[in-house]
Amino acid sequence: MSTTEQGTPEQSATADREIVISRIIDAPRELVFEAFTDVRHLSRWWGPEGFTTTTRAFEFRVGGEWDFVMHGPDGTDYQEWITWTELTPPERIELLHGESHGDPNAFESVLTFEPDGTATRIEMRTLFPTKELRDEAVEKYHAIEGGRQTLGNLAAYVTEIFRKGAER
């Protein structure tokens, strides 16, 4: 979790409800962003290590939805739902993520994609409705480690695709 970016009053006011995770990925920003835009990409890397994803519906556009189930390594299924609230290719994705449409405990995430030389710095800033929901996500669902693993899976997937493209 990043603690260096809590200098403004707005950030300080939400710091106890936030999780911020970032990673440098050795691939161009457009490619990293594209990994979010197509379900055939997402299903290859989404989720922490050992998880798989089954998509029921997917439409990548503002107001579009991704209805899916994450399958944990222990056999537990997690019903998930995302709606895209703002898209600025290839710079930013804003979304609302819950168990289903209308979930009162849904959380907001903002993903930013910044060029870093030939690499990309991705930041995932998640804001929960309450401190208690954030704490539950961290303690019960290991959200910080899971987020780091998810970005790690994204990095491995995108760099593999980038290398294969460079070999052509």
Side-chain angles (χ1 to χ4, degrees):
M1 181 173 157
S2 174
T3 56
T4 60
E5 299 158 358
Q6 298 177 3
T8 68
E10 181 183 344
Q11 288 170 326
S12 297
T14 61
D16 66 344
R17 298 188 292 128
E18 264 186 341
I19 296 174
V20 181
I21 300 168
S22 64
R23 183 178 183 108
I24 302 290
I25 298 177
D26 192 21
R29 173 169 73 165
E30 292 75 14
L31 186 60
V32 177
F33 188 91
E34 184 184 322
F36 280 87
T37 67
D38 190 320
V39 72
R40 69 192 162 102
H41 290 308
L42 274 168
S43 63
R44 299 268 315 273
W45 64 266
W46 183 267
E49 293 169 15
F51 281 73
T52 59
T53 302
T54 300
T55 295
R56 295 184 181 142
F58 182 86
E59 188 175 11
F60 189 76
R61 64 170 179 78
V62 172
E65 297 181 354
W66 182 21
D67 181 14
F68 61 105
V69 177
M70 288 179 55
H71 310 285
D74 65 356
T76 303
D77 286 342
Y78 301 91
Q79 172 60 44
E80 302 284 331
W81 170 87
I82 286 175
T83 186
W84 319 104
T85 56
E86 183 183 314
L87 303 172
T88 310
E91 302 167 11
R92 184 179 180 97
I93 295 172
E94 293 188 28
L95 58 90
L96 185 64
H97 186 161
E99 291 182 4
S100 60
H101 183 79
D103 181 353
N105 297 328
F107 52 86
E108 301 168 15
S109 289
V110 176
L111 296 103
T112 54
F113 305 79
E114 292 293 328
D116 189 338
T118 59
T120 302
R121 180 179 190 272
I122 184 171
E123 180 181 87
M124 185 167 52
R125 183 176 294 270
T126 301
L127 182 62
F128 292 84
T130 66
K131 177 187 182 309
E132 292 73 24
L133 286 169
R134 179 219 182 262
D135 292 348
E136 179 184 27
V138 169
E139 293 159 18
K140 184 176 179 183
Y141 298 108
H142 312 286
I144 294 171
E145 182 57 29
R148 288 182 180 142
Q149 289 176 10
T150 297
L151 291 185
N153 291 341
L154 169 63
Y157 176 73
V158 170
T159 55
E160 175 188 335
I161 289 209
F162 184 56
R163 276 196 295 271
K164 284 181 180 175
E167 291 170 3
R168 290 183 188 151

